[in-house]
């Protein structure tokens, strides 16, 4: 028997393997959901437990039978969907156009808090290492909610503090530390890791992955089409810069569009 963390962040169970298969079929769980055996304390990604994954579909006519499904140690498919950077940005603009108040408002509040903390004198400056991860988690959750057609509220910006505070803090610290080490050593490794870790926070917030597992999953997926992901980050940065150059006012729209573009990329690669 198993216990499973649902999309609401609550533990459900005990559940049998068949129950979890049903949850997956209904879209209430995925290979990224956190589960634990009833007699264990540690949580892990559902995809790491073979018996919890739905049976593979029978091979179609003309397809070789008995070929094992290719997957990584995190339960990911061998070939993720192709990422289209330009399309992500175009859809991001449409999303912000259709949901301007909640997306622009939440982005302004989130970045105002993060930038405000960054300018505080030490030791208050260190508060950013605690606040930034959960704030970004909530901001991403709002954008994903709009993408998925879910009802979102302004206070969802702070949902990261309620649902995954410690994992989000640890994920932010790990990403920052590893990327900084890479930049200090030889710049290129830091840039590589910066791109590879672009989906760590949403994986922790949305899929409830543990921080280290989220780093491994994000790197494994992004690595396969790193240059496209790099192009997406570059386009997003240029969009934000264009907003700043437009007398600073344009950033009110450019910021949410950039965030929405990243979340569309996340949804394309990790959405169920």
């Amino acid at each position: 028997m198993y216990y499973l963390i649902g999309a609401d962040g609550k533990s459900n169970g005990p559940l049998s393997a068949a129950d979890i298969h049903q949850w997956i079929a209904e879209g209430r769980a995925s290979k990224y959901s956190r589960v634990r055996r009833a007699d264990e304390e540690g949580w892990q990604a559902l995809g790491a437990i073979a018996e919890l994954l739905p049976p593979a579909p029978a091979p179609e006519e003309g397809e070789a039978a008995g070929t094992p499904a290719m997957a990584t140690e995190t339960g990911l498919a061998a070939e993720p969907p192709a990422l289209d950077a330009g399309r992500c940005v175009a859809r991001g603009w449409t999303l912000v156009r259709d949901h301007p108040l909640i997306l622009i408002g939440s982005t302004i509040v989130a970045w105002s808090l993060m930038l405000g903390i960054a300018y505080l004198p030490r030791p208050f400056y260190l508060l950013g290492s605690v606040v930034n991860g959960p704030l970004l988690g909530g901001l991403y959750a709002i954008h994903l909610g709009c993408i998925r057609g879910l009802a979102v509220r302004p206070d969802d910006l702070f949902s990261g503090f309620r649902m995954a505070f410690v994992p989000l803090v640890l994920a932010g610290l790990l990403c920052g530390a590893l990327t900084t080490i890479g930049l200090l050593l030889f710049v290129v490794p830091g840039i590589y890791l910066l791109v590879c870790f672009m989906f760590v926070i949403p994986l922790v917030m949305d899929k409830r992955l543990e921080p280290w597992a989220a780093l491994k999953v994000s790197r494994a997926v992004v690595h396969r089409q790193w240059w496209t992901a790099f192009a997406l980050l570059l386009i997003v940065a240029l969009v934000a810069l264009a907003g700043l150059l437009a007398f600073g006012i344009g950033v009110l729209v450019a910021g949410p569009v950039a965030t929405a573009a990243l979340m569309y990329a996340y949804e394309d690669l990790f959405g169920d």
Side-chain angles (χ1 to χ4, degrees), residues 26-271:
E26 296 171 355
R28 301 163 64 193
S30 74
K31 62 173 72 84
Y32 306 104
S33 301
R34 285 195 293 163
V35 298
R36 69 171 177 86
R37 291 184 173 86
D39 57 348
E40 297 178 355
E41 295 296 327
W43 296 88
Q44 57 185 313
L46 186 154
I49 304 177
E51 69 180 61
L52 297 186
L53 292 173
E60 297 180 0
E61 184 177 353
E63 183 178 346
T67 303
M70 296 178 64
T72 70
E73 59 187 25
T74 55
L76 290 170
E79 291 296 333
L83 191 60
D84 187 331
R87 185 165 178 263
C88 288
V89 175
R91 287 182 293 168
W93 160 250
T94 301
L95 189 76
V96 175
R97 182 196 64 191
D98 294 342
H99 304 84
L101 293 180
I102 186 67
L103 296 184
I104 294 176
S106 60
T107 302
I108 291 174
V109 173
W111 281 102
S112 296
L113 289 172
M114 289 188 285
L115 292 175
I117 291 173
Y119 282 101
L120 289 176
R122 296 179 185 274
F124 299 103
Y125 172 81
L126 299 177
L127 184 62
S129 62
V130 177
V131 170
N132 290 354
L135 268 178
L136 284 175
L139 183 63
Y140 291 154
I142 286 178
H143 282 73
L144 283 173
C146 290
I147 289 172
R148 295 167 179 173
L150 304 176
V152 295
R153 304 179 307 177
D155 63 339
D156 288 338
L157 178 61
F158 304 102
S159 58
F161 293 91
R162 302 190 303 268
M163 301 174 65
F165 176 68
V166 173
L168 286 169
V169 172
L170 292 177
L173 291 173
L174 282 171
C175 287
L178 292 174
T179 302
T180 300
I181 292 172
L183 290 171
L184 292 176
L185 288 178
F186 187 57
V187 181
V188 173
I191 296 175
Y192 170 78
L193 291 177
L194 178 66
V195 176
C196 282
F197 294 158
M198 61 192 291
F199 298 119
V200 170
I201 294 297
L203 281 170
V204 172
M205 184 67 189
D206 183 49
K207 304 298 185 183
R208 301 295 189 273
L209 287 188
E210 297 295 338
W212 190 252
L215 263 73
K216 292 169 64 178
V217 170
S218 183
R219 193 209 66 80
V221 171
V222 173
H223 173 78
R224 299 169 185 174
Q225 38 192 330
W226 188 90
W227 285 106
T228 305
F230 175 74
L232 174 61
L233 282 185
L234 186 61
I235 293 171
V236 163
L238 291 175
V239 168
L241 178 61
L244 286 173
L245 293 177
F247 304 101
I249 299 176
V251 76
L252 298 181
V253 174
V257 169
T259 305
L262 290 177
M263 290 304 96
Y264 267 115
Y266 168 83
E267 189 73 350
D268 288 345
L269 293 175
F270 300 98

